[in-house]
Every structure is written in structure tokens, then in C-alpha cells.
Amino acid sequence: MPEVSSTGFIWLPQTTYPIYKITVEKDGVEEDITSRTVSIEIEDGVNEIIGRFSFELWNFNNQYVNKWTGTEIVRFYADRATSATTLRFRGRIEKLSYTRDKLRATGRSEALNFMNLTVSQDFDNQECSQILTSLVANYRPDATFTTSNISVTTTNLTLSWINKPFWDAANELTIASGFDIYLDANKSFNFFKSGTRDNDNEAVVHDQNLIEVREFAEDINLVSNKIVVYGANIDGIQTLYTTEDFNSQGLYGIREQIINDDNILSETQANELANFKLQKSKDPTIVGEVKGVFCPTIQPGQNIRISSPRDNIQPGLYNIVSYKHEIGEAKYFTTIRISKEPRGVSHILKRMIEETNKQKQTSSNPFGMKFSYNFLFNSDSGTHSGTEITSGVLKPTGTTGTWTSPAKEHSYN
């Protein structure tokens, strides 16, 4: 028989030492506070995860009291070099507290600028990257937020959003397209196919820089191996479809999931949805966390090489869902939340999102107006020209007429 070979990798220890720098900018002046920090935490991730940070400084003689008041820009630089020059994270101070000769500052990434924005907009069969670019252009708080790192998808969507939180809208685009999204340290939106970005500078490898494995395992609680879909009632007959995986049931027992969706109108639709759900859930999802020595160059959504055979983590590329740097006294760590498989894409998910977003409301505010000026015609007002108001009704006194409402001014356009 011919020999069977397979490719692998041997990770060579890094010859360069990780280095970092943290600064605070106020009134246009960026101050390096690295040497004064007691501890630093930086956390970021893709999609629904909003980056956050915290740091502590010695505050002897109250030297930092009232120095910062909030909204100051915090920048975190990290590299494998002689100096830290690459910006990896940027955020804004939100809270300052003083305890036992220390100042503690906490805040979130610049993505928080979009946290309280709501989207009211319609899109008809438009490609996902175009939708996201339009959202950023219309709702960004200033022109410094850019879209140069938004990649084109192969998914078109028809959507109707009414007062939808910005990040909820953005996450619907990622679900439908199989892409990931995050706002990077340069205030640029990154939108890219999940699992397509590799980090070749970092790895977490057993017997080298791996410190701890936390709950990295197949989670059978998420297994569903019998899917029952109840669709719409049509002429008193309900659409019903069931699919199951007997091999999975033999391993994990029968785990049933019921789906009720009145948008399912035919057996074909029910079949597609049931089989899609079964393929996604019949096997356990491999998720977990690994903790290693500080990995300075990682970014959200990248693939990183990890191995720990003793913890049943076979050598390979794993997708970074989120990461957390911890730097301080006796701490120089990075904890990475990972998934073995990046998210996929299916026309089933696309259709479900479109159905959910169909206009079902009798009233809306698609242009984001701030006021309404309503007339119930329960009293006579305005200027008449061939019109009259009688019994709560505006009507012409002849064939046609014109009525002009009283003027009302607001301080907004």
C-alpha cells in the first residue's frame, strides 16, 4: 500500500519579546502612562462583543485627582519588537474611581459610539456590505469612522428596520452572510468572511507558552438531534416536518427542538429549515478558553494556532471569538475565547432574517423625524380657501379647495 502522509506544523518559540504601551489623550496631548500603571486589562471581540478596558495607577498625594474627567482617549499599543508602535485598541474613559492611593479607570472601545443609535431604514435586495456601508455613512457620529475594511459578500437582503439598535442590525448582516464584524483601533469597520484571517505571529502551544485551558470541550447541552418544525396553518391544515439523526441520538440520547414559524408555508420550506438546524446542532460545538503568555499582536476574528493534546485540543487553527489581555503584578497573560469552526452561512438564515424584518407595524418613523404636528380637526384652525371644518372633518365647500395649517416652529430642521 502507498504511504499516507499529512501536513502538520511545529511551532518554534518566538525570538522576540512582547512589548506594550498605554497612553491617555486629553486636549490633543497624548501622555504615555505605561511606567505608572499597576495593572491593565484590554478586552475585545467580534460581532455582539463591545471592547472594554481598565487600568490602575498609583495616585500618591492625589496627583491624578481631577486630571481626567471622562471621554479621554485611551490607546493600547503592542508589538513583538524593541518598541510598541502598532495601535491595537482604542477606547474612551467612562468611569474614574479612587481607592487606597490608586486611581482606577474603566471604559469601552470606540464602538460604544454606536451603542445607543437606532436604525430606521429599508433595503430592497441589497448586498450586505453595501447595507453596512450605508448604515455607517448615515449613523456615524463623525467622519473619522471609516469603511475601508468592509469586504463584499455574496448575500443580498431585503430588510425593514424600525428603531433597530445599530449593533443588532449589524449582527443580522453577519448572521445572514457568514461574516464577522468589529470596529478596530483606527475607527475602521472590519467586515470579513469568518475564518479567513490568520495570525502567523502568535500561537498558544503546550510545553511552551500555554498556561491554562478553561472548559474547552464539546458542549452536549447544545445538541439537538430531532427537529420538529410547525409552520403556518393553511385552510385549517398545519405545515409539519420532522427530521432526526439516529447516530447522534445513539451517542447523546434524543434531544428534541421544536420550531414554530408561521412564515413556513410549504413542506419544502419546512424541510430546508429542519435539515439546516439538524446539521448545525446534531454534534456538540467545540468552544472554550485557553490562557497563555501575553500575545500582543492578536485581533478579533483571527485564526490562531493552538495545541494541548493533554486537554484534547489537537494542533490546528482556532477562531478567536474574543480575547482579554491581563498585564500587571505577576500577570502577563492573554485569555482567548475560541471556536473550532467559524460561523457558516445559509440561505435559510437569510430568509429567516428577511421574514423577521418584514414590515408588520401600522406606524413607523422611517426618516428618524423628531416631532409630529397633528390635526384632528376637532376645532376650526388654519386658513381656508374653498374648504371648511365641520364635525371633525376637513372638506371642500366646492369641487376643490386648499387648507393651510397654522405655522409651528421647532429648533430642529
Side-chain angles (χ1 to χ4, degrees), residues 14-27:
Q14 287 280 0
T15 58
T16 54
Y17 195 72
I19 191 169
Y20 67 92
K21 179 175 72 174
I22 186 169
T23 68
V24 178
E25 179 186 327
K26 181 177 182 179
D27 298 330

Side-chain angles (χ1 to χ4, degrees), residues 73 75 90 92 110 113-114 136-137 139-149 183-189:
I73 300 172
R75 293 181 176 89
R90 169 178 166 144
R92 299 270 179 169
E110 294 283 5
N113 286 280
F114 295 83
V136 177
Y139 294 96
R140 65 187 174 191
D142 62 64
T144 61
F145 293 91
T146 63
T147 57
S148 56
N149 290 310
L183 184 67
D184 68 23
N186 295 306
K187 300 173 72 174
S188 177
F189 278 87

Side-chain angles (χ1 to χ4, degrees), residues 63-119:
Q63 59 182 317
Y64 280 103
V65 172
N66 298 325
K67 182 178 179 66
W68 304 312
T69 57
T71 74
E72 288 83 7
I73 300 172
V74 173
R75 293 181 176 89
F76 181 77
Y77 302 84
D79 284 291
R80 288 188 176 275
T82 55
S83 61
T85 60
T86 304
L87 182 63
R88 307 289 180 180
F89 181 90
R90 169 178 166 144
R92 299 270 179 169
I93 293 176
E94 294 182 288
K95 182 180 178 181
L96 296 158
S97 57
Y98 304 88
T99 55
R100 295 187 178 182
D101 295 323
K102 288 181 182 178
L103 161 65
R104 177 176 172 82
T106 59
R108 286 176 290 178
S109 76
E110 294 283 5
L112 69 88
N113 286 280
F114 295 83
M115 284 285 290
N116 296 318
L117 297 179
T118 58
V119 173

Side-chain angles (χ1 to χ4, degrees), residues 53-271:
F53 70 87
S54 67
F55 64 81
E56 285 187 337
L57 299 174
W58 288 114
N59 187 39
F60 297 120
N61 301 318
N62 292 325
Q63 59 182 317
Y64 280 103
V65 172
N66 298 325
K67 182 178 179 66
W68 304 312
T69 57
T71 74
E72 288 83 7
I73 300 172
V74 173
R75 293 181 176 89
F76 181 77
Y77 302 84
D79 284 291
R80 288 188 176 275
T82 55
S83 61
T85 60
T86 304
L87 182 63
R88 307 289 180 180
F89 181 90
R90 169 178 166 144
R92 299 270 179 169
I93 293 176
E94 294 182 288
K95 182 180 178 181
L96 296 158
S97 57
Y98 304 88
T99 55
R100 295 187 178 182
D101 295 323
K102 288 181 182 178
L103 161 65
R104 177 176 172 82
T106 59
R108 286 176 290 178
S109 76
E110 294 283 5
L112 69 88
N113 286 280
F114 295 83
M115 284 285 290
N116 296 318
L117 297 179
T118 58
V119 173
S120 294
Q121 209 162 340
D122 295 336
F123 297 94
D124 183 14
N125 193 33
Q126 199 159 342
E127 190 266 320
C128 286
S129 70
Q130 295 177 353
I131 295 175
L132 179 58
T133 300
S134 174
L135 293 182
V136 177
N138 290 331
Y139 294 96
R140 65 187 174 191
D142 62 64
T144 61
F145 293 91
T146 63
T147 57
S148 56
N149 290 310
I150 292 179
S151 301
V152 177
T153 74
T154 58
T155 304
N156 286 28
L157 285 175
T158 297
L159 301 167
S160 180
W161 285 322
I162 301 173
N163 295 328
K164 186 90 169 180
F166 179 92
W167 282 112
D168 287 355
N171 280 321
E172 285 191 358
L173 299 179
T174 70
I175 293 169
S177 63
F179 274 44
D180 286 329
I181 186 174
Y182 78 98
L183 184 67
D184 68 23
N186 295 306
K187 300 173 72 174
S188 177
F189 278 87
N190 285 243
F191 186 60
F192 55 97
K193 188 174 182 180
S194 182
T196 58
R197 293 184 175 183
D198 294 346
N199 187 316
D200 295 325
N201 297 315
E202 307 290 349
V204 180
V205 179
H206 65 287
D207 297 332
Q208 289 189 27
N209 63 342
L210 175 66
I211 296 172
E212 183 182 3
V213 174
R214 298 176 180 174
E215 297 183 355
F216 189 92
E218 296 179 338
D219 190 351
I220 64 172
N221 289 320
L222 302 178
V223 169
S224 296
N225 47 39
K226 181 179 180 180
I227 310 296
V228 182
V229 175
Y230 290 92
N233 270 298
I234 302 175
D235 294 331
I237 301 175
Q238 186 164 40
T239 302
L240 174 64
Y241 192 88
T242 302
T243 186
E244 46 194 323
D245 187 285
F246 298 107
N247 184 56
S248 176
Q249 291 177 1
L251 293 171
Y252 311 111
I254 297 176
R255 294 171 175 265
E256 187 174 285
Q257 180 182 359
I258 305 296
I259 299 174
N260 294 286
D261 190 344
D262 288 337
N263 295 309
I264 302 297
L265 304 176
S266 67
E267 180 187 6
T268 300
Q269 287 180 294
N271 181 321

